[in-house]
Amino acid sequence: MSSLRDVAERAQVAVSTVSAALNGTRPVAAATKERIEQAAAELGYRPNVLARGLVSKRTRILALLFPAPRSGFGLTEMQFATGAAEAASERGYHLLLSPENADPIEELRHLTGLGLVDGVLLMEVRLDDERTRWLAEAGFPFSMIGRTREPGSIDYADIDFARMAGDAVAHLAGLGHRALAFFNHSTDGYSAQYGPAIRAGEEFEAAAREAGLGYVGDFRADSAEQGRQAFERLVAEHPEVTALAVMNDHAAVGVIAAVAEHGWQIPRDLTLMLVLSSARVAEMFHPRLTTLEPPSAELGRLGAGMLIDRLTGDGDGPPRQRLVACRLVTGDSSAPPPVDRTERRDNSAAPPVDRTGGRR
Amino acid sequence: MSSLRDVAERAQVAVSTVSAALNGTRPVAAATKERIEQAAAELGYRPNVLARGLVSKRTRILALLFPAPRSGFGLTEMQFATGAAEAASERGYHLLLSPENADPIEELRHLTGLGLVDGVLLMEVRLDDERTRWLAEAGFPFSMIGRTREPGSIDYADIDFARMAGDAVAHLAGLGHRALAFFNHSTDGYSAQYGPAIRAGEEFEAAAREAGLGYVGDFRADSAEQGRQAFERLVAEHPEVTALAVMNDHAAVGVIAAVAEHGWQIPRDLTLMLVLSSARVAEMFHPRLTTLEPPSAELGRLGAGMLIDRLTGDGDGPPRQRLVACRLVTGDSSAPPPVDRTERRDNSAAPPVDRTGGRR
DNA sequence: GAAGCTTGTCGAAACGTTTCGCAAAGCTAA
DNA sequence: TTAGCTTTGCGAAACGTTTCGACAAGCTTC
């Protein structure tokens, strides 16, 4: 690989002049500059990132800290990475994929001590997250995909949960539903600190109240079996509910099975929609489910983008904080509520051709 | 951040001695070594990757070149990245996620010219892949996830398609099926060079023949609509087929819908299985589909691992080439063939409770 | 007790950049 | 004409490592 010195020799100038010409850090006479650029092109010169980083203290490398894939780690989370990598690439940066081991703080200490990365991108941020505290204290540049309970002046890109809930409720209310239920993630273990679950729950309740709709929000389901049970309880305790939004893909599987066992059909007897699931997942179901698709790649892009902004621009400008709307993808699982469900319930032995979801 | 010099001062030795002691590249007296290690620990010393890489020409960074997410880019492909990142991390390496732009060769030229990465990990390798040619010619270390038609001495980790097909056929034959069909990806566009589609097709045919089973392999489907049409044709042209393996998730959606429209049930009237789809996807279906889950994360791990082996060990040892089996995840969609399908076909207005897949 | 090893440590060079003080011009203004 | 300024380019230092020849001391061996 040719170096700055090779270019300097070929262009008959000093090394420092080449550096200045190529980076534009100092004025260089037009003629000289052209000569240098030609020499560089002829040699196929590429600046060595390591040498540059060593002296300038800036490597143009970002690290995305990603947690060990828990079960339930899906396409959505992965798109943070691809979105961030693309945004970084477009701006001349690189993205390091850094798996988080058992001790995230030790991992951070290691990563930042390497001198390899200019900034860190955090995902799967919990409402109370020790990583943000450590990074802030260490004064290391970072941004979040998601956010803590009190983001303060930390940069972040997150889902606009209020708007998402508003859109969902508007969609259902627009179809004529008067009472809806929301199956959230379970509150135990990881989810206790899981921002999306908590924020979605709160916002759904608020949106339903504002729209003057009946609302059942205290059901949880993270698996098919839990989804099934939750549905059974829902039907027993809240027969007025005609529309259901589910957070967890697996729970939806259970709900759908239970609905069928009841002799009900979707969407004739129940409107079912996913929340924060990608359209690719939603269309695996039958009928194709309506979903509010999270803007995952966009969040990744934004997270990386604002981190680069912070790195290249003023280090202590105002916080960059963005909330992004979800996309409502209407499937075949949304419909007006049944006029009289008890009547329909008896009607369950419909011709099989009807069972495919109706709208296709 | 403390440097080697700080450690040297604190331990009262020369810089080079510290380097030797910490890396073990030269013998250092036990007492001195201990003193140095303590000083390093007290200062929280971390070697600067950039400086080290600059002189040693080894950065311990790998790049995973990942293509722009085409549609159909799923969990499976993403797990290559996480697997590779984990394997790298365990061995003290880092993984750079490098999005491939319109011109892969230019991208490679850029990436390798940076001096930033020691080796490149290729995924989505086509049967005839210009990237492998360029890298081989440039003499730049790399390995493949997947493989070209003639891998020669290039390192790779790929799916064991022969075994996969054998397992699938054995599973179906074991249930008593005598004739099966395989819906492959379509042959146009990208898939024309898509190794998994071609190899799976070939191996399926071979395995079916070897098992003495009837086989229909010339159907293609990449979408729900195509799946539906392919199924209709299959039923019309090959009524003897009782088991169907499908490559594409979306095609499976269409097949299931068409099956229902026929008044058939899975698995009572037809055994349906996925091929090379993750279990997470398979269990979104209803009934839960049997699948041959690709060992994606494992392939990522292996790909990174063999690249690191190559980098640290002998550069021109024998090729490291690994084929990994898929995991058969039995769902609720596999069952013995119907005794007499015409009889069952009339029986389609079964009580709704039966429609959930039976085995749950 | 000198020659020859071995062991342990040092110092300096090198890697390829960026940065910055400095100087040689050429120009302007008095 | 000369002092002062601007423009342009140079050279050296620095970044934090690794690598390697040199060398001092201690040991063996005859």
Side-chain angles (χ1 to χ4, degrees):
Chain A
M1 207 57 215
S2 54
S3 78
L4 215 44
R5 221 176 58 179
D6 301 329
V7 180
E9 271 175 23
R10 182 172 256 260
Q12 301 278 32
V13 291
V15 171
S16 57
T17 307
V18 179
S19 174
L22 261 28
N23 293 311
T25 51
R26 277 193 169 195
V28 172
T32 317
K33 187 169 179 178
E34 187 166 341
R35 194 149 37 93
I36 289 172
E37 279 169 351
Q38 186 177 344
E42 285 169 6
L43 289 168
Y45 167 75
R46 317 255 170 192
N48 183 304
V49 174
L50 268 50
R52 170 178 289 183
L54 185 56
V55 44
S56 72
K57 302 288 180 199
R58 306 222 13 243
T59 61
R60 302 174 81 84
I61 300 177
L62 271 28
L64 173 67
L65 221 61
F66 81 87
R70 331 180 308 278
S71 70
F73 206 64
L75 199 54
T76 296
E77 283 82 358
M78 295 287 88
Q79 288 180 339
F80 294 152
T82 64
E86 279 176 13
S89 175
E90 284 164 14
R91 301 188 53 177
Y93 274 69
H94 296 271
L95 189 75
L96 210 61
L97 210 56
S98 220
E100 220 168 25
N101 57 24
D103 185 350
I105 297 301
E106 180 53 33
E107 182 72 25
L108 273 179
R109 206 175 316 227
H110 176 73
L111 197 60
T112 57
L114 253 30
L116 183 60
V117 302
D118 288 348
V120 167
L121 205 47
L122 249 36
M123 58 180 275
E124 298 282 293
V125 177
R126 312 184 52 153
L127 287 181
D128 180 32
D129 202 306
E130 53 174 351
R131 300 174 301 174
T132 64
R133 284 197 297 273
W134 190 90
L135 282 165
E137 195 163 339
F140 202 87
F142 73 106
S143 70
M144 309 183 279
I145 298 173
R147 64 193 201 268
T148 56
R149 194 187 320 271
E150 304 283 355
S153 61
I154 305 175
D155 299 342
Y156 68 78
D158 199 1
I159 292 167
D160 187 338
F161 291 98
R163 177 148 174 208
M164 179 209 73
D167 288 348
V169 169
H171 172 69
L172 299 175
L175 289 168
H177 294 274
R178 304 302 307 154
L180 57 96
F182 175 56
F183 285 5
N184 206 334
H185 288 294
S186 65
T187 50
D188 56 312
Y190 185 85
S191 304
Q193 283 282 328
Y194 188 51
I198 288 162
R199 292 204 167 88
E202 289 170 358
E203 299 293 352
F204 246 96
E205 177 158 15
R209 181 170 31 217
E210 186 161 340
L213 264 49
Y215 178 72
V216 178
D218 50 349
F219 284 74
R220 321 268 152 183
D222 279 333
S223 69
E225 189 48 37
Q226 288 170 14
R228 171 187 301 267
Q229 290 171 4
F231 175 77
E232 297 295 352
R233 274 216 298 134
L234 178 70
V235 171
E237 299 173 15
H238 301 278
E240 76 283 7
V241 168
T242 57
L244 171 58
V246 175
M247 196 71 161
N248 185 291
D249 309 336
H250 292 87
V253 175
V255 168
I256 290 176
V259 165
E261 284 170 15
H262 264 256
W264 287 7
Q265 286 175 28
I266 293 173
R268 197 190 60 182
D269 303 298
L270 178 79
T271 284
L272 177 65
M273 67 179 294
L274 286 173
V275 158
L276 301 188
S277 275
S278 80
R280 289 207 11 113
V281 168
E283 65 193 11
M284 292 286 118
F285 288 89
H286 196 243
R288 202 152 45 88
L289 296 185
T290 295
T291 187
L292 273 159
E293 186 173 51
S296 313
E298 180 66 12
L299 292 179
R301 299 190 70 88
L302 284 172
M306 55 180 52
L307 183 52
I308 294 173
D309 286 344
R310 171 84 49 200
L311 253 19
T312 54
D314 55 325
D316 356 71
R320 295 157 169 85
Q321 306 184 330
R322 290 281 300 274
L323 293 181
V324 186
C326 290
R327 190 166 66 98
L328 177 69
V329 182
T330 309
D332 302 321
S333 68
S334 310
V339 182
D340 177 3
R341 189 184 272 152
T342 49
E343 182 191 329
R344 299 235 171 161
R345 198 179 292 175
D346 301 332
N347 199 16
S348 57
V353 70
D354 235 5
R355 304 202 141 260
T356 62
R359 294 213 180 167
R360 268 186 181 275
Chain B
M1 208 57 213
S2 53
S3 78
L4 215 44
R5 219 176 60 179
D6 301 329
V7 179
E9 269 175 24
R10 183 171 255 258
Q12 299 279 32
V13 291
V15 171
S16 57
T17 307
V18 179
S19 174
L22 260 28
N23 294 310
T25 50
R26 277 193 167 194
V28 171
T32 316
K33 187 170 178 176
E34 186 166 344
R35 195 150 36 91
I36 289 172
E37 280 169 349
Q38 186 176 344
E42 286 169 4
L43 289 169
Y45 168 75
R46 317 255 169 191
N48 182 304
V49 174
L50 267 49
R52 169 179 291 184
L54 185 57
V55 43
S56 71
K57 302 286 179 201
R58 305 222 15 245
T59 61
R60 303 174 82 84
I61 300 178
L62 271 28
L64 173 67
L65 222 60
F66 81 88
R70 329 181 309 279
S71 71
F73 206 65
L75 198 54
T76 298
E77 283 83 358
M78 295 287 87
Q79 288 180 339
F80 294 152
T82 63
E86 279 176 15
S89 174
E90 284 164 13
R91 301 187 54 176
Y93 273 69
H94 296 269
L95 189 76
L96 210 60
L97 209 55
S98 221
E100 219 168 25
N101 57 25
D103 185 350
I105 298 302
E106 181 52 35
E107 181 74 25
L108 274 178
R109 203 173 318 216
H110 175 74
L111 197 60
T112 56
L114 255 29
L116 182 60
V117 301
D118 289 347
V120 167
L121 205 48
L122 250 35
M123 58 180 276
E124 298 282 292
V125 178
R126 313 184 51 151
L127 287 180
D128 179 32
D129 202 307
E130 52 175 352
R131 300 173 301 173
T132 64
R133 285 197 297 275
W134 190 91
L135 283 165
E137 194 163 336
F140 203 88
F142 73 106
S143 71
M144 307 184 280
I145 298 173
R147 65 194 201 268
T148 56
R149 195 187 319 273
E150 305 282 355
S153 62
I154 304 175
D155 298 343
Y156 68 78
D158 199 1
I159 293 167
D160 187 340
F161 292 97
R163 178 147 174 208
M164 180 209 72
D167 288 349
V169 170
H171 172 68
L172 299 174
L175 289 167
H177 295 274
R178 304 302 308 154
L180 56 96
F182 174 56
F183 286 5
N184 205 333
H185 288 293
S186 65
T187 51
D188 56 312
Y190 186 85
S191 304
Q193 283 282 329
Y194 188 52
I198 288 162
R199 293 203 167 89
E202 290 171 357
E203 299 294 352
F204 245 96
E205 177 158 17
R209 182 169 33 218
E210 187 161 340
L213 264 49
Y215 177 72
V216 178
D218 50 351
F219 284 74
R220 322 266 151 185
D222 279 332
S223 68
E225 189 48 35
Q226 288 171 14
R228 170 188 301 265
Q229 289 171 4
F231 175 77
E232 298 294 354
R233 273 216 298 135
L234 179 70
V235 171
E237 298 173 15
H238 301 278
E240 76 282 7
V241 168
T242 56
L244 171 58
V246 175
M247 194 75 159
N248 184 292
D249 308 337
H250 292 87
V253 175
V255 168
I256 290 176
V259 166
E261 284 170 15
H262 263 257
W264 287 6
Q265 287 175 27
I266 293 172
R268 197 190 61 178
D269 304 300
L270 178 80
T271 284
L272 177 65
M273 69 180 292
L274 287 174
V275 159
L276 302 187
S277 275
S278 78
R280 286 209 11 115
V281 167
E283 65 192 10
M284 293 287 119
F285 287 89
H286 195 242
R288 203 151 45 89
L289 297 184
T290 296
T291 187
L292 272 158
E293 185 173 52
S296 313
E298 180 66 11
L299 292 179
R301 299 189 71 87
L302 283 171
M306 54 180 54
L307 184 51
I308 294 173
D309 286 345
R310 171 82 52 199
L311 254 19
T312 54
D314 56 326
D316 2 67
R320 296 158 168 85
Q321 306 183 330
R322 290 280 301 275
L323 293 180
V324 187
C326 291
R327 191 166 66 99
L328 177 70
V329 181
T330 309
D332 302 323
S333 68
S334 311
V339 182
D340 177 3
R341 191 185 273 156
T342 50
E343 182 192 328
R344 297 237 171 159
R345 199 180 294 175
D346 302 333
N347 199 17
S348 58
V353 69
D354 234 4
R355 304 202 143 258
T356 62
R359 294 210 178 170
R360 266 185 180 274

